[in-house]
Amino acid sequence: MAVYKFLSSLPSPPSNFHTEINADNRVTKPSLVACRTKSQKWSIVEAKSSDPHQMILHGHSIKSNLQDKFLKEYEQKMEDVRELLNSEELQNQIESLMLVDAIQRLGVDYHFQEEIEAVLWRHYMAATTYDGLSYYTLHDLSLRFRLLRQQGFCIPADIFDNFKGKDGAFESKLKQDIRGLMELYEAAQLGLEGEDILDEAAKFSSQIVGNRLKHPYHKSIARFTAKKYIRDLQDIYGWEKTLKELAKMDYYVAQTAYQQELSQISKWWKNLGLAEEFKQARNEPLKWYTWSMATLSDPSMSEQRLELTKSITFIYIIDDIFDLYGTPEELIVFTQAVKRWDYAAIEMLPKSWKMCYKALLDTTNEIGSKIYKKYGYNPINSLKSTWASLCDSYLLEAKWFGSGHLPTSNERLENGKVSSGVPLVLVHLFFLLGINEETGGAFPMDDISELISSVAVLLRLWNDFGSAKDERQDGNDGSYIECYMKENPDSTTEIAREHVVDMISSEWKCLNKECFRLNQNSSISSFTKAALNLARMVPLMYSYDDNQRLPVLEEYINSTLFDDTFLEHHPILDQEQRA
């Protein structure tokens, strides 16, 4: 998609979001706090532009003549990188893998999917045709393994046997190769069940470089780690400067899109009126939007992010209604109404619930209608089925906790996969991306059910793993850990938590297997990547500190949505400020 076409399609008038500024011009950084009694929100100020064609970036208004200059430079940088990827001088050289790795880590790979596929295909053919792996350094072989496997190419893990001694262990001299160990640790994150050598590689490398790699690429959101990578990327090959400049400009373009979308979501949420109707429920459109922003990072997917955020909003609100508002009888009636999916069912509901039910039907029916207009089929039957399943799972949890009955850990996990909301989100996302356009809307659940299950398990375990309660929920939550300890009375909390850590590690291997399998089908690759991004986002959403705060999530939101430090020395913006 051309840059001009993309930016001209952004909603107008655009809005700029920034944090509040005190009288002494110091920026106040608000925070997300997981606390029922004291909730601090992000302070968001809208700055409307009088010129609907004006591009606003964090308080820097770029007038149309300079906007054209900015966009032309942006497109030229992309063309320069594209030429690098197609360069004959880089074919089959390790430098081409370094270039691909840098592009992916900077989060701009969505511009170059065909070129990256071609580069990796050449390396795959070379790896399967020639027996030259013994000549690779630990760093180069690890990099090659990681890039090829994450793209769906079949690369066996036993290629690392070359770095083992006669005793079957990794050679001690490798401990001096810090650069190689860091890449070995990265490669080990793509391990599958039964690949013991990658488990050994992870353990061996983490003993030396574990503290340096808190956010391995495969399990991290690229835009979250991109800024640090830009700072650390050294000019070795000559193309780093161009790539860094492109990444910074891309960051600005993405930030502008995200800010405008957040403006729309905030207005939509306010107009629904549910925050006033359910005052105890969570009122956090910024956090809900962050899920979609991380899952679909491509700036051109604005419509998909907006519609996905609306669905995520109702997951949170209905969850809170079940936890905080409904009697057992009312919860049953609401669940029955959702299964009927009929506006006439509004009359069966309590007065305060009527608004939520109608808004749910309106929003979901509208999503189905938009998908029909864009792709030629209406998936409403699949969409409303996911809402029925979600309410059934909430109802079962309400019955368990209302009766004081604690389910088995397996029962908790199986139902928790549905109540996590992941199946609902990914089904909606599947149709929003138009993946099965050719099948006329028939959802191939059998083909991607294991992928959905793995992401759901990761979210449920991370959610239950936190010592702080998710958001501001009171009472006994019946977590997986609690259920496990009831079944294993000799287990301590520490043992139970270690068990959950092992389960999370194992589930990542299952997810790797599904991503590897599905990545061999290019028609579904955008969905697979989005599902993987959803899994990557989970730790950020549930890594509470001792003060029941989410510092990593706060850092991600500040960095992605509000941080404008990269803009300070851009020549076009400097020219605008001097004018």
Side-chain angles (χ1 to χ4, degrees):
M1 175 180 289
V3 180
Y4 292 104
K5 181 179 179 182
F6 161 60
L7 283 178
S8 65
S9 68
L10 287 175
S12 66
S15 300
N16 173 48
F17 284 88
H18 55 84
T19 49
E20 287 187 338
I21 299 178
N22 293 332
D24 58 358
N25 291 325
R26 287 184 298 106
V27 175
T28 301
K29 294 292 186 183
S31 60
L32 295 168
V33 178
C35 177
R36 163 77 60 188
T37 58
K38 184 179 179 182
S39 178
Q40 228 180 334
K41 296 182 188 177
W42 289 88
S43 298
I44 301 175
V45 181
E46 293 185 41
K48 299 280 181 62
S49 168
S50 59
D51 180 359
H53 302 293
Q54 191 175 36
M55 185 178 180
I56 298 183
L57 297 173
H58 326 282
H60 300 275
S61 301
I62 307 181
K63 295 179 180 178
S64 54
N65 62 325
L66 292 179
Q67 178 176 326
D68 288 343
K69 186 177 180 181
F70 181 92
L71 296 179
K72 286 178 181 178
E73 181 183 341
Y74 181 43
E75 286 198 321
Q76 184 58 54
K77 297 294 184 188
M78 283 193 289
E79 187 58 33
D80 291 343
V81 173
R82 189 168 284 110
E83 290 180 2
L84 279 168
L85 286 166
N86 293 327
S87 171
E88 294 183 2
E89 296 179 3
L90 295 184
Q91 287 189 15
N92 299 325
Q93 293 185 20
I94 194 63
E95 183 182 346
S96 62
L97 292 180
M98 297 291 291
L99 176 59
V100 169
D101 184 40
I103 289 171
Q104 292 179 342
R105 287 180 179 273
L106 292 172
V108 295
D109 52 302
Y110 66 95
H111 292 298
F112 312 105
Q113 290 302 316
E114 292 183 7
E115 291 81 5
I116 289 174
E117 177 74 19
V119 169
L120 295 180
W121 172 255
R122 289 194 295 269
H123 277 274
Y124 175 69
M125 292 303 295
T128 55
T129 305
Y130 307 106
D131 184 22
L133 296 179
S134 60
Y135 297 101
Y136 277 83
T137 65
L138 178 61
H139 171 274
D140 293 353
L141 186 64
S142 299
L143 177 63
R144 193 180 203 183
F145 172 86
R146 176 170 63 83
L147 293 179
L148 291 177
R149 176 167 282 198
Q150 72 186 20
Q151 195 76 7
F153 292 108
C154 186
I155 297 294
D158 61 10
I159 62 174
F160 293 106
D161 282 337
N162 292 331
F163 298 98
K164 286 188 170 185
K166 294 181 180 180
D167 60 354
F170 280 95
E171 296 176 335
S172 296
K173 65 180 181 181
L174 296 175
K175 293 180 179 179
Q176 308 301 318
D177 184 5
I178 300 301
R179 183 168 174 263
L181 288 174
M182 291 180 68
E183 194 53 56
L184 178 64
Y185 183 79
E186 292 275 14
Q189 306 307 309
L190 282 96
L192 310 178
E193 199 67 47
E195 290 185 326
D196 295 341
I197 190 170
L198 292 183
D199 292 335
E200 297 168 17
K203 183 177 180 180
F204 176 75
S205 56
S206 65
Q207 294 173 351
I208 312 298
V209 299
N211 291 333
R212 303 188 186 196
L213 289 170
K214 295 181 180 179
H215 302 290
Y217 172 77
H218 180 61
K219 296 180 180 178
S220 301
I221 300 294
R223 288 201 184 275
F224 180 44
T225 57
K227 286 188 177 181
K228 182 180 184 302
Y229 187 77
I230 288 176
R231 291 193 297 267
D232 295 344
L233 185 60
Q234 299 178 0
D235 294 330
I236 298 174
Y237 298 106
W239 41 256
E240 291 87 352
K241 183 176 183 293
T242 298
L243 194 55
K244 286 191 283 189
E245 289 172 349
L246 171 62
K248 291 179 181 181
M249 299 182 81
D250 190 78
Y251 209 91
Y252 310 152
V253 171
Q255 226 172 35
T256 301
Y258 298 157
Q259 291 173 350
Q260 293 168 350
E261 292 162 15
L262 183 55
S263 174
Q264 293 182 69
I265 286 297
S266 297
K267 292 173 184 175
W268 169 81
W269 170 242
K270 182 179 179 180
N271 291 336
L272 277 185
L274 294 180
E276 290 298 318
E277 190 68 29
F278 299 98
K279 294 184 182 297
Q280 294 185 67
R282 282 166 283 192
N283 180 9
E284 297 167 343
L286 174 55
K287 189 175 181 182
W288 303 331
Y289 172 74
T290 300
W291 279 111
S292 300
M293 180 177 69
T295 301
L296 299 168
S297 59
D298 184 340
S300 68
M301 292 185 177
S302 178
E303 182 180 2
Q304 291 90 338
R305 275 189 297 273
L306 290 170
E307 301 308 323
L308 188 64
T309 302
K310 294 174 184 178
S311 298
I312 291 171
T313 297
F314 281 103
I315 292 175
Y316 276 87
I317 297 306
I318 293 175
D319 183 25
D320 285 349
I321 287 175
F322 270 74
D323 284 348
L324 303 171
Y325 284 92
T327 65
E329 294 76 16
E330 289 172 336
L331 299 181
I332 292 173
V333 171
F334 185 82
T335 301
Q336 291 173 344
V338 171
K339 290 181 177 180
R340 284 181 57 183
W341 205 263
D342 186 349
Y343 286 98
I346 291 177
E347 300 306 318
M348 12 180 334
L349 299 172
K351 181 179 178 181
S352 60
W353 295 38
K354 296 179 187 292
M355 182 187 295
C356 179
Y357 181 76
K358 182 178 183 301
L360 173 64
L361 266 60
D362 286 346
T363 302
T364 308
N365 287 337
E366 184 180 5
I367 290 173
S369 178
K370 288 181 177 179
I371 293 171
Y372 174 76
K373 290 178 181 178
K374 190 169 185 177
Y375 301 114
Y377 59 86
N378 192 331
I380 190 60
N381 289 333
S382 295
L383 302 186
K384 65 185 184 183
S385 176
T386 62
W387 284 110
S389 297
L390 183 72
C391 288
D392 272 338
S393 69
Y394 287 164
L395 183 61
L396 181 57
E397 289 180 353
K399 290 179 179 178
W400 283 340
F401 307 140
S403 66
H405 169 70
L406 202 62
T408 66
S409 58
N410 185 61
E411 289 173 335
R412 164 61 178 165
L413 188 57
E414 285 303 308
N415 189 69
K417 287 192 290 187
V418 182
S419 67
S420 71
V422 168
L424 186 148
V425 168
L426 291 181
V427 169
H428 280 63
L429 180 59
F430 187 89
F431 290 111
L432 285 168
L433 291 173
I435 300 298
N436 65 339
E437 184 177 0
E438 297 179 0
T439 67
F443 187 56
M445 180 62 76
D446 291 343
D447 199 35
I448 60 174
S449 59
E450 291 301 318
L451 175 74
I452 293 175
S453 175
S454 289
V455 179
V457 168
L458 288 171
L459 191 149
R460 175 49 59 204
L461 292 176
W462 265 102
N463 188 349
D464 289 358
F465 186 71
S467 57
K469 300 300 179 185
D470 178 21
E471 293 309 317
R472 296 159 289 166
Q473 299 194 30
D474 299 322
N476 189 330
D477 219 14
S479 69
Y480 177 87
I481 289 178
E482 186 179 0
C483 297
Y484 178 83
M485 292 182 68
K486 179 188 175 184
E487 291 177 341
N488 300 272
D490 294 335
S491 295
T492 63
T493 301
E494 183 178 354
I495 291 175
R497 290 171 70 86
E498 288 176 355
H499 173 68
V500 171
V501 169
D502 290 341
M503 289 181 67
I504 290 173
S505 176
S506 178
E507 203 59 47
W508 261 105
K509 293 178 181 179
C510 295
L511 180 58
N512 287 342
K513 176 184 176 182
E514 290 306 301
C515 288
F516 172 72
R517 179 178 67 84
L518 294 171
N519 276 338
Q520 299 176 54
N521 181 355
S522 60
S523 65
I524 203 173
S525 60
S526 61
F527 174 78
T528 306
K529 182 177 180 180
L532 183 57
N533 279 339
L534 184 61
R536 289 163 170 165
M537 190 61 195
V538 167
L540 276 67
M541 284 288 184
Y542 296 103
S543 293
Y544 294 97
D545 64 12
D546 293 338
N547 297 316
Q548 293 188 320
R549 295 171 68 95
L550 295 163
V552 183
L553 178 61
E554 292 178 19
E555 181 184 353
Y556 170 66
I557 292 177
N558 267 325
S559 173
T560 308
L561 274 169
F562 303 117
D563 184 6
D564 61 358
T565 54
F566 280 176
L567 287 167
E568 292 176 354
H569 303 295
H570 193 281
I572 293 179
L573 296 178
D574 289 343
Q575 182 179 348
E576 171 66 17
Q577 289 177 314
R578 290 193 299 268

